[in-house]
Amino acid sequence: MAIAAAVVIVPIGVLFFVSGLIVNLIQALIFVIVRPFSKSIFRRINRMVAELLWLELVWIVDWWAGVKVNLYTDPETLRMMGKEHALVIANHKSDIDWLIGWVFAQRSGCLGSTLAVMKKSSKFLPVIGWSMWFSEYLFLERSWAKDESTLKSGLQSLKDYPQPFWLALFVEGTRFTKAKLLAAQEYASSMGLPVPRNVLIPRTKGFVTSVSQMRSFVPAIIDMTVAIPKDSTPPTMLRLFKGQSSVIHVKVTRHSMKDLPESDEAVAQWCKDKFIVKDDVLDQHKIADAFPDSELVDIGRPLKSLVVVVSWACLLVFGTFKFLQWSNLLSSWKGLTFAAVGLATVTILMQILIQFSQAEHSTPAKVAPVLSSNGTVREKSQ
């Protein structure tokens, strides 16, 4: 991390990790004290507590970096967003697609109950990963033999969730890069499948399992198509922390769960067909630099995240002042060393968070060999 960038990023990191540890502590306390007696009350309280942390990241998008998120959708989809349980699927175009989903969830009023299916290592991320664990995110190892039962039990546990939630599932299994697209194109050609141009081939086992387990209590699938305009630089966590803006276009379509086919094979094909359509839509976006078949909706920039961040900042400054006044920490070499170590730790943690989010450091989902009709061994996506 460059020194100039660190001067900007470290103060944000201090605010995020200190406030995050406070949120983690509150989550741990209500997990121990409240959850054994009422899971529903725990979820309601945790929803509000977790939102105090997630709003800081929404603030970075909305106010610090000033990212412009253009929503293209239809009136019915817009009306139902945040008012019902939903399974959210999207192409994984940028490093911060999950965060753009949070922006929409915040506008829809369900940020604190937004969940996701994520790789297992995510839950070990300091502050953010721990908060996700308390919030019942689903963590998988990318090995279907191990993940199937974990996913099924996790999905079933959401049946009695007391408030509308969104569960995000990136069915491509990994973030989009040119190298991964080339591999997907070679695989599609070898298997006689439609060759993708803008998306990766969806891994349908997780989607099929999610639909089969949630069909009875989740009424909708929210399909998001993410695109970056020609004149915009793709957003990254580093760019966000440095206050560098981007523009993101997102088309959102609601599908009723009851309209999906019944068999697992047909559900898998439905998912594949949607990504073929998504590929075509992204071709159209390249030409028009917009989604011309959908209405552009102004999602605004609410003050809530700004108020939360200012409140956290005032609390941190006041608490730090009182602590230094009481301890005289900076009046000795020992205290200065302690402060320096603390800032260095925050810098390292921010570097880990930034690197963890980068597409180049992500790995594709595992594939399993299968025997084709001519007897040759090929790979089958998980």
Side-chain angles (χ1 to χ4, degrees):
M1 187 185 300
I3 294 178
V7 171
V8 176
I9 294 172
V10 170
I12 295 176
V14 171
L15 176 64
F16 179 74
F17 283 108
V18 172
S19 61
L21 288 173
I22 295 173
V23 167
N24 289 161
L25 177 60
I26 296 173
Q27 288 179 302
L29 289 174
I30 61 174
F31 184 85
V32 172
I33 297 173
V34 178
R35 196 178 189 279
F37 301 99
S38 175
K39 186 166 65 172
S40 177
I41 294 177
F42 164 77
R43 283 168 161 171
R44 291 177 182 274
I45 298 174
N46 183 76
R47 182 181 190 268
M48 295 184 290
V49 174
E51 189 170 321
L52 295 176
L53 180 61
W54 302 152
L55 279 169
E56 293 185 53
L57 294 175
V58 172
W59 168 82
I60 290 175
V61 174
D62 281 342
W63 294 94
W64 180 254
V67 174
K68 179 64 175 176
V69 182
N70 289 340
L71 169 62
Y72 294 82
T73 190
D74 59 89
E76 178 62 16
T77 297
L78 185 64
R79 185 181 70 84
M80 295 303 297
M81 286 175 63
K83 295 181 174 61
E84 59 185 353
H85 296 334
L87 175 63
V88 180
I89 60 173
N91 59 313
H92 214 340
K93 183 65 176 178
S94 76
D95 292 352
I96 64 161
D97 294 331
W98 58 277
L99 189 46
I100 299 306
W102 279 6
V103 169
F104 287 133
Q106 191 270 325
R107 305 299 199 268
S108 302
C110 61
L111 176 60
S113 54
T114 297
L115 313 171
V117 179
M118 305 183 70
K119 57 185 178 182
K120 187 177 180 180
S121 58
S122 302
K123 70 179 178 180
F124 299 111
L125 285 172
V127 173
I128 189 170
W130 303 338
S131 189
M132 287 175 174
W133 185 85
F134 284 118
S135 298
E136 300 179 76
Y137 279 58
L138 306 182
F139 300 98
L140 305 183
E141 299 185 36
R142 287 183 169 177
S143 169
W144 189 245
K146 299 177 181 179
D147 291 337
E148 183 177 11
S149 59
T150 301
L151 182 59
K152 286 182 177 179
S153 61
L155 294 171
Q156 281 297 306
S157 71
L158 299 177
K159 183 177 292 187
D160 58 351
Y161 206 93
Q163 295 163 303
F165 68 79
W166 284 2
L167 176 68
L169 175 65
F170 288 103
V171 295
E172 290 167 300
T174 185
R175 280 162 283 188
F176 183 94
T177 65
K178 291 183 178 179
K180 293 171 186 175
L181 175 61
L182 179 60
Q185 290 172 334
E186 292 176 349
Y187 174 79
S189 296
S190 69
M191 298 294 290
L193 302 173
V195 178
R197 302 169 302 280
N198 309 290
V199 296
L200 304 181
I201 300 172
R203 324 283 180 169
T204 57
K205 281 188 176 180
F207 178 77
V208 169
T209 299
S210 298
V211 170
S212 66
Q213 296 296 311
M214 302 170 72
R215 190 191 290 269
S216 63
F217 63 94
V218 173
I221 294 176
I222 295 178
D223 182 7
M224 295 187 178
T225 301
V226 182
I228 310 297
K230 298 173 185 176
D231 58 352
S232 179
T233 303
T236 64
M237 287 300 292
L238 181 58
R239 284 182 56 83
L240 290 184
F241 287 129
K242 292 168 68 174
Q244 297 174 340
S245 185
S246 298
V247 179
I248 301 174
H249 293 174
V250 185
K251 178 180 178 179
V252 180
T253 305
R254 179 187 182 275
H255 304 285
S256 177
M257 187 74 80
K258 66 181 181 181
D259 293 337
L260 266 66
E262 293 294 330
S263 70
D264 289 352
E265 294 78 8
V267 170
Q269 189 59 51
W270 183 94
C271 181
K272 294 173 184 177
D273 291 342
K274 291 303 174 186
F275 268 75
I276 292 174
V277 172
K278 195 183 297 289
D279 210 4
D280 293 337
V281 168
L282 289 169
D283 275 338
Q284 297 170 14
H285 184 276
K286 287 181 178 179
I287 298 171
D289 218 25
F291 294 110
D293 60 338
S294 299
E295 180 181 346
L296 177 60
V297 178
D298 183 8
I299 64 172
R301 189 171 61 167
L303 288 173
K304 188 175 183 179
S305 62
L306 180 62
V307 171
V308 167
V309 168
V310 170
S311 299
W312 275 123
C314 291
L315 181 62
L316 178 60
V317 170
F318 178 77
T320 301
F321 174 76
K322 287 297 185 181
F323 176 74
L324 293 177
Q325 192 178 49
W326 168 77
S327 65
N328 293 317
L329 184 66
L330 299 183
S331 62
S332 66
W333 284 109
K334 184 177 180 180
L336 289 171
T337 301
F338 178 80
V341 170
L343 290 176
T345 301
V346 170
T347 303
I348 293 171
L349 291 175
M350 291 297 286
Q351 183 70 22
I352 291 173
L353 178 59
I354 290 168
Q355 288 188 344
F356 189 87
S357 71
Q358 292 174 347
E360 289 76 11
H361 291 87
S362 66
T363 55
K366 295 179 181 180
V367 294
V370 296
L371 195 64
S372 66
S373 58
N374 63 3
T376 60
V377 174
R378 291 174 178 167
E379 291 182 333
K380 181 179 180 181
S381 62
Q382 299 293 310

